[in-house]
Amino acid sequence: MTVPESLSLSQARRIALAAQGFTDPPPGGVPDLRHLRRVLGRVGLLQMDSVNVLQRAHYLPLYSRLGPYPTALLDRAAYGRPRELFEYWGHEASLIPVALQPALRWRMAAAHTHAWGGMRRIAVEQPELVAWVLDEVRAKGPLTAAEIEHDAPRETGNWGWNWSAVKRALEFLFWAGEVTAASRNSAFARVYDLPERVLPPAVLAAPTPEPADAYRRLVEVAARALGVAAEPELRDYFRLPLRAARTAIAELVEAGALGPVRVQGWRQPAFLHADARLPRWVRANTLVSPFDPLIWERARTERLFGFAYRIEIYVPAPQRVHGYYVLPFLQGDRFTARVDLKADRKAGVLRVPAAWGEPDAAPAETVPALAAELRRLAGWLGLAEVAGPLAGDLAGPLAAALAAPGTCGGSGVR
């Protein structure tokens, strides 16, 4: 689109949602590989997280955009052949299209200075162990850390992780790109192998770009995925260095890929991607994961949607405001509610500990749409029932809507 001088907040929201795939037509049947690729082309990467109170984080953004889909689709893209995605440090731990692997080699090359402290220390203090671990993977891979553990001392870090020296060595090698994730086991632990046994040969043979070219590539991916964004979120999408990101943004502006634009109410200068679309409306009715790229950058989420959001997993229970694992409900181009959710797989129930409406939402419109979405989500998760909420200002109306006759709405495809 032609870059205007300014955008209203409503226009910016619609541009952002279109860029993230929320205005794409829904699949006519069971989503397939074409639909998965379309979403990945929109969002650029998927964040991973070990929390599984509802569903693994990387599966949820596809659900939010496609509705119920077979999760095996993503598993095949991530760990099947031909490999379309690979695990690496993108935003955080992420699934990233293999075509972007060359653009992240600068991060791999900087492992000795940029990897986390425990990884760097093991590489400096016990290089012979790192070499031994790499030889073990080379000779016997694919392997988990547990399969090559020896009597290395264990230490508990600040986050409560109990990583052995072998695990730290493997994670250093993973950061450095010398090993990669061949798969995940049933405990969600990485199974490591050599890149040449996992990644497509064409990817490995691709030339390594200069860091400046790689930064431009990654900022352009971020800008395309965000539609309209300020510098902090363009940098944050792939966690890029400050100076490098600023230079890349300036170069993309000069090249015409980005255009400066003012957004109503934003103090920061914003940038609009040249291919951004401004739809007339957004007809979303879907729950969004705490780890969805739409809301990664919480300050942008508040500027764009007037929606103050934080994940309260690490907040002590008595101090939580909305709940442990809270998902925003996207209705049209606004977040109108938020629900704390838990999949009780043993009982076959989607539990809703709490449900809250946003101040400017209309409960008469939000409650039935949210109830339908909860039934749809339950069906996708293979859960037979949705238990009404116990707390929150929407608890009563939503419990009544869920108790009304209805089905689990949507497919239970896995």
Short mmCIF file of all heavy atoms in Angstrom, two decimals, residues 148-184:
data_model
loop_
_atom_site.label_atom_id
_atom_site.label_comp_id
_atom_site.label_asym_id
_atom_site.label_seq_id
_atom_site.Cartn_x
_atom_site.Cartn_y
_atom_site.Cartn_z
N ILE A 148 23.28 -39.33 27.30
CA ILE A 148 24.74 -39.24 27.34
C ILE A 148 25.23 -38.60 28.63
O ILE A 148 26.35 -38.09 28.71
CB ILE A 148 25.31 -38.48 26.11
CG1 ILE A 148 24.61 -37.13 25.92
CG2 ILE A 148 25.21 -39.32 24.86
CD1 ILE A 148 25.25 -36.31 24.82
N GLU A 149 24.40 -38.65 29.65
CA GLU A 149 24.81 -38.11 30.94
C GLU A 149 25.99 -38.93 31.49
O GLU A 149 26.09 -40.13 31.30
CB GLU A 149 23.66 -38.18 31.96
CG GLU A 149 22.49 -37.28 31.64
CD GLU A 149 22.73 -35.84 32.06
OE1 GLU A 149 23.89 -35.46 32.26
OE2 GLU A 149 21.74 -35.11 32.18
N HIS A 150 26.89 -38.25 32.19
CA HIS A 150 27.90 -38.95 32.98
C HIS A 150 27.87 -38.34 34.37
O HIS A 150 26.89 -37.71 34.76
CB HIS A 150 29.27 -38.92 32.33
CG HIS A 150 29.81 -37.53 32.10
ND1 HIS A 150 29.91 -36.58 33.09
CD2 HIS A 150 30.32 -36.95 30.99
CE1 HIS A 150 30.45 -35.48 32.60
NE2 HIS A 150 30.69 -35.68 31.33
N ASP A 151 28.89 -38.48 35.13
CA ASP A 151 28.85 -38.04 36.52
C ASP A 151 29.27 -36.59 36.69
O ASP A 151 29.82 -36.22 37.74
CB ASP A 151 29.73 -38.94 37.39
CG ASP A 151 31.18 -38.95 36.93
OD1 ASP A 151 31.47 -38.40 35.84
OD2 ASP A 151 32.03 -39.52 37.64
N ALA A 152 29.00 -35.75 35.71
CA ALA A 152 29.30 -34.32 35.85
C ALA A 152 28.47 -33.74 36.98
O ALA A 152 27.33 -34.13 37.19
CB ALA A 152 28.99 -33.60 34.54
N PRO A 153 29.01 -32.78 37.76
CA PRO A 153 28.26 -32.20 38.87
C PRO A 153 27.05 -31.43 38.37
O PRO A 153 27.06 -30.85 37.29
CB PRO A 153 29.28 -31.25 39.53
CG PRO A 153 30.26 -30.93 38.44
CD PRO A 153 30.34 -32.16 37.60
N ARG A 154 26.00 -31.42 39.18
CA ARG A 154 24.79 -30.68 38.85
C ARG A 154 24.71 -29.43 39.71
O ARG A 154 25.07 -29.44 40.88
CB ARG A 154 23.54 -31.55 39.09
CG ARG A 154 23.46 -32.72 38.12
CD ARG A 154 22.25 -33.58 38.44
NE ARG A 154 22.13 -34.65 37.48
CZ ARG A 154 21.48 -34.57 36.33
NH1 ARG A 154 20.88 -33.44 36.01
NH2 ARG A 154 21.40 -35.58 35.50
N GLU A 155 24.21 -28.36 39.10
CA GLU A 155 24.05 -27.11 39.82
C GLU A 155 22.67 -26.56 39.53
O GLU A 155 22.16 -26.69 38.42
CB GLU A 155 25.10 -26.08 39.38
CG GLU A 155 26.53 -26.55 39.63
CD GLU A 155 27.54 -25.60 39.02
OE1 GLU A 155 27.12 -24.59 38.44
OE2 GLU A 155 28.74 -25.88 39.12
N THR A 156 22.07 -25.92 40.49
CA THR A 156 20.76 -25.31 40.30
C THR A 156 20.94 -23.84 40.00
O THR A 156 21.54 -23.12 40.79
CB THR A 156 19.89 -25.48 41.55
OG1 THR A 156 19.74 -26.88 41.81
CG2 THR A 156 18.52 -24.86 41.35
N GLY A 157 20.44 -23.41 38.84
CA GLY A 157 20.60 -22.01 38.44
C GLY A 157 19.51 -21.12 39.02
O GLY A 157 18.63 -21.56 39.75
N ASN A 158 19.55 -19.87 38.63
CA ASN A 158 18.61 -18.90 39.17
C ASN A 158 17.17 -19.21 38.83
O ASN A 158 16.25 -18.80 39.52
CB ASN A 158 18.97 -17.49 38.65
CG ASN A 158 20.30 -17.01 39.21
OD1 ASN A 158 20.71 -17.43 40.28
ND2 ASN A 158 20.96 -16.13 38.48
N TRP A 159 16.95 -19.92 37.72
CA TRP A 159 15.58 -20.22 37.28
C TRP A 159 15.10 -21.56 37.81
O TRP A 159 14.03 -22.02 37.46
CB TRP A 159 15.51 -20.21 35.76
CG TRP A 159 15.68 -18.84 35.19
CD1 TRP A 159 16.82 -18.28 34.71
CD2 TRP A 159 14.67 -17.84 35.07
NE1 TRP A 159 16.57 -17.01 34.29
CE2 TRP A 159 15.28 -16.70 34.50
CE3 TRP A 159 13.31 -17.79 35.40
CZ2 TRP A 159 14.57 -15.54 34.24
CZ3 TRP A 159 12.61 -16.63 35.14
CH2 TRP A 159 13.26 -15.52 34.56
N GLY A 160 15.92 -22.21 38.64
CA GLY A 160 15.50 -23.50 39.16
C GLY A 160 15.76 -24.66 38.23
O GLY A 160 15.37 -25.78 38.50
N TRP A 161 16.43 -24.39 37.10
CA TRP A 161 16.77 -25.49 36.22
C TRP A 161 17.90 -26.29 36.85
O TRP A 161 18.84 -25.75 37.41
CB TRP A 161 17.23 -24.96 34.86
CG TRP A 161 16.19 -24.21 34.12
CD1 TRP A 161 14.85 -24.42 34.15
CD2 TRP A 161 16.40 -23.10 33.24
NE1 TRP A 161 14.21 -23.53 33.35
CE2 TRP A 161 15.13 -22.70 32.77
CE3 TRP A 161 17.52 -22.42 32.80
CZ2 TRP A 161 14.97 -21.66 31.90
CZ3 TRP A 161 17.37 -21.39 31.92
CH2 TRP A 161 16.09 -21.00 31.49
N ASN A 162 17.85 -27.59 36.70
CA ASN A 162 18.90 -28.45 37.23
C ASN A 162 19.64 -29.07 36.05
O ASN A 162 19.48 -30.23 35.73
CB ASN A 162 18.29 -29.52 38.14
CG ASN A 162 19.36 -30.20 38.97
OD1 ASN A 162 20.47 -29.71 39.11
ND2 ASN A 162 19.01 -31.34 39.53
N TRP A 163 20.41 -28.24 35.40
CA TRP A 163 21.11 -28.69 34.20
C TRP A 163 22.45 -29.31 34.59
O TRP A 163 23.24 -28.72 35.30
CB TRP A 163 21.38 -27.51 33.27
CG TRP A 163 20.22 -27.16 32.42
CD1 TRP A 163 18.96 -27.67 32.48
CD2 TRP A 163 20.21 -26.19 31.36
NE1 TRP A 163 18.16 -27.08 31.53
CE2 TRP A 163 18.90 -26.17 30.83
CE3 TRP A 163 21.17 -25.35 30.83
CZ2 TRP A 163 18.54 -25.34 29.78
CZ3 TRP A 163 20.81 -24.52 29.79
CH2 TRP A 163 19.52 -24.52 29.27
N SER A 164 22.71 -30.46 34.05
CA SER A 164 24.02 -31.05 34.24
C SER A 164 25.02 -30.36 33.31
O SER A 164 24.65 -29.59 32.41
CB SER A 164 23.97 -32.54 33.89
OG SER A 164 23.76 -32.70 32.49
N ALA A 165 26.29 -30.65 33.52
CA ALA A 165 27.32 -30.10 32.65
C ALA A 165 27.11 -30.57 31.21
O ALA A 165 27.35 -29.83 30.26
CB ALA A 165 28.70 -30.51 33.15
N VAL A 166 26.64 -31.80 31.05
CA VAL A 166 26.38 -32.32 29.70
C VAL A 166 25.28 -31.51 29.03
O VAL A 166 25.40 -31.14 27.85
CB VAL A 166 26.00 -33.81 29.77
CG1 VAL A 166 25.39 -34.28 28.45
CG2 VAL A 166 27.21 -34.66 30.11
N LYS A 167 24.21 -31.21 29.76
CA LYS A 167 23.12 -30.42 29.18
C LYS A 167 23.61 -29.03 28.79
O LYS A 167 23.26 -28.52 27.72
CB LYS A 167 21.97 -30.33 30.18
CG LYS A 167 20.80 -29.47 29.72
CD LYS A 167 20.12 -30.02 28.49
CE LYS A 167 18.90 -29.19 28.13
NZ LYS A 167 18.26 -29.64 26.89
N ARG A 168 24.42 -28.41 29.64
CA ARG A 168 24.93 -27.08 29.30
C ARG A 168 25.84 -27.14 28.08
O ARG A 168 25.81 -26.23 27.23
CB ARG A 168 25.67 -26.47 30.50
CG ARG A 168 24.75 -26.12 31.66
CD ARG A 168 25.40 -25.16 32.63
NE ARG A 168 26.58 -25.73 33.28
CZ ARG A 168 26.55 -26.45 34.40
NH1 ARG A 168 25.38 -26.72 34.98
NH2 ARG A 168 27.65 -26.91 34.92
N ALA A 169 26.63 -28.19 27.98
CA ALA A 169 27.48 -28.35 26.80
C ALA A 169 26.62 -28.51 25.54
O ALA A 169 26.91 -27.92 24.49
CB ALA A 169 28.39 -29.55 26.98
N LEU A 170 25.57 -29.32 25.63
CA LEU A 170 24.69 -29.49 24.48
C LEU A 170 24.01 -28.19 24.10
O LEU A 170 23.88 -27.87 22.91
CB LEU A 170 23.62 -30.54 24.81
CG LEU A 170 24.03 -32.00 24.65
CD1 LEU A 170 23.02 -32.91 25.34
CD2 LEU A 170 24.20 -32.38 23.19
N GLU A 171 23.59 -27.41 25.10
CA GLU A 171 22.93 -26.16 24.79
C GLU A 171 23.90 -25.13 24.22
O GLU A 171 23.52 -24.30 23.39
CB GLU A 171 22.22 -25.61 26.03
CG GLU A 171 20.92 -26.35 26.36
CD GLU A 171 19.91 -26.26 25.23
OE1 GLU A 171 19.58 -25.14 24.79
OE2 GLU A 171 19.46 -27.33 24.75
N PHE A 172 25.16 -25.17 24.64
CA PHE A 172 26.15 -24.30 24.00
C PHE A 172 26.32 -24.71 22.53
O PHE A 172 26.35 -23.84 21.64
CB PHE A 172 27.49 -24.38 24.72
CG PHE A 172 28.58 -23.61 24.00
CD1 PHE A 172 28.67 -22.23 24.15
CD2 PHE A 172 29.47 -24.25 23.14
CE1 PHE A 172 29.64 -21.51 23.46
CE2 PHE A 172 30.44 -23.54 22.45
CZ PHE A 172 30.52 -22.16 22.62
N LEU A 173 26.43 -25.99 22.28
CA LEU A 173 26.59 -26.47 20.90
C LEU A 173 25.35 -26.14 20.07
O LEU A 173 25.46 -25.82 18.88
CB LEU A 173 26.84 -27.98 20.90
CG LEU A 173 28.18 -28.43 21.48
CD1 LEU A 173 28.17 -29.93 21.76
CD2 LEU A 173 29.32 -28.07 20.52
N PHE A 174 24.17 -26.20 20.70
CA PHE A 174 22.94 -25.83 20.02
C PHE A 174 22.96 -24.35 19.65
O PHE A 174 22.62 -23.96 18.53
CB PHE A 174 21.74 -26.16 20.92
CG PHE A 174 20.41 -25.78 20.36
CD1 PHE A 174 19.75 -26.61 19.48
CD2 PHE A 174 19.80 -24.59 20.72
CE1 PHE A 174 18.50 -26.28 18.96
CE2 PHE A 174 18.56 -24.23 20.21
CZ PHE A 174 17.91 -25.08 19.33
N TRP A 175 23.35 -23.48 20.60
CA TRP A 175 23.44 -22.04 20.33
C TRP A 175 24.45 -21.79 19.20
O TRP A 175 24.20 -20.96 18.32
CB TRP A 175 23.88 -21.30 21.60
CG TRP A 175 23.75 -19.81 21.50
CD1 TRP A 175 24.44 -18.98 20.65
CD2 TRP A 175 22.89 -18.96 22.26
NE1 TRP A 175 24.06 -17.67 20.85
CE2 TRP A 175 23.12 -17.63 21.82
CE3 TRP A 175 21.97 -19.19 23.28
CZ2 TRP A 175 22.44 -16.54 22.37
CZ3 TRP A 175 21.30 -18.11 23.82
CH2 TRP A 175 21.53 -16.80 23.37
N ALA A 176 25.56 -22.51 19.23
CA ALA A 176 26.60 -22.31 18.23
C ALA A 176 26.26 -22.93 16.88
O ALA A 176 27.02 -22.75 15.91
CB ALA A 176 27.92 -22.90 18.74
N GLY A 177 25.15 -23.65 16.79
CA GLY A 177 24.75 -24.25 15.52
C GLY A 177 25.49 -25.52 15.17
O GLY A 177 25.37 -26.03 14.06
N GLU A 178 26.22 -26.07 16.14
CA GLU A 178 26.98 -27.30 15.86
C GLU A 178 26.13 -28.54 16.07
O GLU A 178 26.46 -29.62 15.57
CB GLU A 178 28.24 -27.34 16.72
CG GLU A 178 29.22 -26.24 16.37
CD GLU A 178 30.55 -26.41 17.09
OE1 GLU A 178 31.24 -27.42 16.83
OE2 GLU A 178 30.89 -25.54 17.93
N VAL A 179 25.06 -28.43 16.85
CA VAL A 179 24.03 -29.46 16.90
C VAL A 179 22.69 -28.75 16.74
O VAL A 179 22.59 -27.53 16.91
CB VAL A 179 24.05 -30.28 18.21
CG1 VAL A 179 25.40 -30.95 18.41
CG2 VAL A 179 23.67 -29.42 19.41
N THR A 180 21.67 -29.52 16.42
CA THR A 180 20.33 -28.96 16.30
C THR A 180 19.34 -29.97 16.86
O THR A 180 19.73 -31.06 17.30
CB THR A 180 20.01 -28.59 14.84
OG1 THR A 180 18.82 -27.81 14.80
CG2 THR A 180 19.86 -29.82 13.97
N ALA A 181 18.07 -29.60 16.89
CA ALA A 181 17.04 -30.49 17.42
C ALA A 181 16.50 -31.37 16.30
O ALA A 181 15.90 -30.87 15.35
CB ALA A 181 15.91 -29.69 18.05
N ALA A 182 16.73 -32.67 16.43
CA ALA A 182 16.17 -33.61 15.46
C ALA A 182 14.69 -33.82 15.72
O ALA A 182 13.91 -34.03 14.79
CB ALA A 182 16.92 -34.94 15.54
N SER A 183 14.31 -33.76 17.01
CA SER A 183 12.91 -33.95 17.40
C SER A 183 12.78 -33.56 18.87
O SER A 183 13.72 -33.05 19.47
CB SER A 183 12.49 -35.41 17.19
OG SER A 183 13.25 -36.27 18.01
N ARG A 184 11.59 -33.81 19.42
CA ARG A 184 11.33 -33.70 20.85
C ARG A 184 10.78 -35.05 21.31
O ARG A 184 10.00 -35.67 20.59
CB ARG A 184 10.30 -32.60 21.15
CG ARG A 184 10.80 -31.19 20.88
CD ARG A 184 11.42 -30.59 22.11
NE ARG A 184 11.90 -29.23 21.89
CZ ARG A 184 12.19 -28.39 22.87
NH1 ARG A 184 12.04 -28.75 24.13
NH2 ARG A 184 12.64 -27.19 22.61
#
